Amino acid sequence: MNPALTPLPGTTLFGLTATDVGTLLAALATLAVLVALYVASTVRDPMKGRVKALNERREQLKAGIVASTAKRRAKIVHQNDTTDRMRTFLSSLKVLQDDQLKQAQIKLAQAGIRSKDWAIAVIFGRLMMPIVIGSTAAVLIYLVDFWPAWGPFRQFGTFAGALLLSYKAPDIYINNMITKRAAAIRKGVPDALDLLVICAEAGLTVDAAFSRVSRELGNAYPELGEEFQLTSIELGFLSERRMAFENLAERVKLEALKGVVTTMIQTEKYGTPLASALRVLSAEFRHSRMMRAEEKAARLPAIMTVPLILFILPTLFVVILGPAACSISKAF
């Protein structure tokens, strides 16, 4: 064996010997296997949470119509002690406003979170995360001097960035969820309108049509199916059907669905033919979806230019010119 390749006794990597590194890698591999087994054995039904949310909304609507006193309604609405403590704390600081709470609830509904308790948690997170993360950053930067090589400007920039990011983190996360959910719903709107046209021509009522479409699209487009099912429930319980359509437009941040809601409201108000209007909207949405696909395809050559130059062309040059370079070196 070549002595140059023999590891020297006592050689360490970041203070760890070869045995320690091997043990650590084996432990990580074992942990990865256990996590994979846990994930594979605990597969959750994605429809279970949606059905629970729809049942809770149905019970709330029943409570608003049937229950005669506020005390009986409170028995149906679930109360969370943690949320109550957050609400009390925010109210004591005079930072909990009704407009702010309503806006947070609307954003959470657009993100697919039905529980209104999370609105209190979001506002509480906006208040506490800058305090906790900012205090931690201040201690690490100024008191502990964790990065002694940094200058005053860089230290202050890191501290300010930590404060700003911690304050905006809940909104960034929720907006990301809203964008993803709106994109998933947008894909199923044309198919949903086609099914609504078929149901309308078959003689079904609007609430029955929404319920039927939600069942048909529940597997392909679960987000859209959930929204249609919730709209169907509200159409059956709310005193004004217009409110159900307006709630649908409020829960989904999508201009295409707002056009559908406007059409449904006009149909309910003036008695115009529903099938013909939905057929025109469906054709427009399909054309818009095709245009977006063509736009992405047109951007593909420009996007592929950088990976082509950095990764594909060097490999191609090595494969083509490598044998020639070897032959030239042997000739000389």
Side-chain angles (χ1 to χ4, degrees):
M1 184 175 181
N2 190 355
L5 301 178
T6 304
L8 297 177
T11 302
T12 60
L13 179 64
F14 299 107
L16 301 175
T17 63
T19 304
D20 296 335
V21 173
T23 304
L24 182 60
L25 293 177
L28 291 176
T30 304
L31 180 62
V33 171
L34 293 177
V35 171
L37 291 176
Y38 174 77
V39 172
S41 59
T42 57
V43 178
R44 297 181 179 180
D45 185 9
M47 294 301 296
K48 186 176 180 180
R50 299 188 179 97
V51 172
K52 182 180 178 181
L54 294 174
N55 290 332
E56 289 179 355
R57 179 58 176 167
R58 184 183 288 109
E59 294 299 327
Q60 291 175 4
L61 292 172
K62 287 181 180 179
I65 296 174
V66 180
S68 58
T69 62
K71 184 176 180 180
R72 292 180 61 188
R73 296 181 188 180
K75 294 180 180 179
I76 300 177
V77 180
H78 178 69
Q79 299 293 333
N80 194 332
D81 295 335
T82 304
T83 305
D84 292 339
R85 286 194 291 268
M86 291 182 184
R87 186 190 297 272
T88 304
F89 176 74
L90 294 174
S91 299
S92 63
L93 296 178
K94 305 297 182 182
V95 296
L96 187 60
Q97 301 176 359
D98 294 337
D99 295 339
Q100 184 183 15
L101 183 61
K102 184 178 180 180
Q103 188 66 26
Q105 291 174 354
I106 292 174
K107 283 193 172 183
L108 289 174
Q110 292 174 352
I113 301 174
R114 305 297 180 195
S115 177
K116 295 183 179 181
D117 295 339
W118 281 99
I120 303 294
V122 169
I123 299 174
F124 184 79
R126 291 175 186 168
L127 176 65
M128 296 305 297
M129 287 183 65
I131 297 175
V132 175
I133 297 179
S135 302
T136 304
V139 169
L140 291 177
I141 293 174
Y142 294 107
L143 297 181
V144 180
D145 198 11
F146 196 77
W147 296 280
W150 287 8
F153 181 76
R154 189 174 183 180
Q155 290 178 347
F156 177 76
T158 304
F159 175 69
L163 283 178
L164 182 61
L165 183 61
S166 59
Y167 177 75
K168 289 293 184 180
D171 293 334
I172 293 174
Y173 179 73
I174 293 175
N175 289 333
N176 187 27
M177 293 179 62
I178 292 174
T179 302
K180 291 182 178 179
R181 192 166 186 269
I185 291 176
R186 184 187 294 112
K187 296 178 181 178
V189 171
D191 297 335
L193 292 182
D194 289 339
L195 290 176
L196 282 177
V197 170
I198 295 174
C199 293
E201 291 178 345
L204 294 179
T205 59
V206 177
D207 49 350
F210 271 85
S211 178
R212 179 67 179 180
V213 172
S214 66
R215 291 197 302 269
E216 294 294 333
L217 297 180
N219 294 327
Y221 307 105
E223 294 85 2
L224 184 59
E226 179 185 2
E227 292 296 338
F228 273 32
Q229 183 64 38
L230 187 56
T231 303
S232 175
I233 293 173
E234 291 182 346
L235 285 171
F237 283 96
L238 294 179
S239 57
E240 296 184 8
R241 299 168 67 87
R242 179 191 183 95
M243 294 175 57
F245 296 122
E246 291 177 350
N247 291 338
L248 175 61
E250 188 178 73
R251 290 193 306 267
V252 182
K253 191 178 180 181
L254 190 63
E255 293 297 330
L257 205 57
K258 290 181 180 179
V260 177
V261 168
T262 303
T263 302
M264 301 297 294
I265 293 176
Q266 291 178 353
T267 302
E268 290 283 337
K269 184 176 182 179
Y270 300 108
T272 56
L274 177 62
S276 59
L278 292 179
R279 189 178 290 107
V280 173
L281 286 176
S282 176
E284 292 180 357
F285 293 154
R286 288 187 182 279
H287 180 69
S288 176
R289 185 168 63 178
M290 183 62 67
M291 292 294 291
R292 287 195 300 269
E294 292 177 356
E295 181 183 356
K296 290 183 178 180
R299 292 204 313 263
L300 188 59
I303 296 174
M304 287 297 296
T305 301
V306 176
L308 180 67
I309 295 174
L310 293 180
F311 302 106
I312 299 177
L313 289 181
T315 307
L316 188 62
F317 289 155
V318 170
V319 172
I320 295 176
L321 300 179
C326 293
S327 300
I328 293 173
S329 64
K330 287 181 180 179
F332 287 97

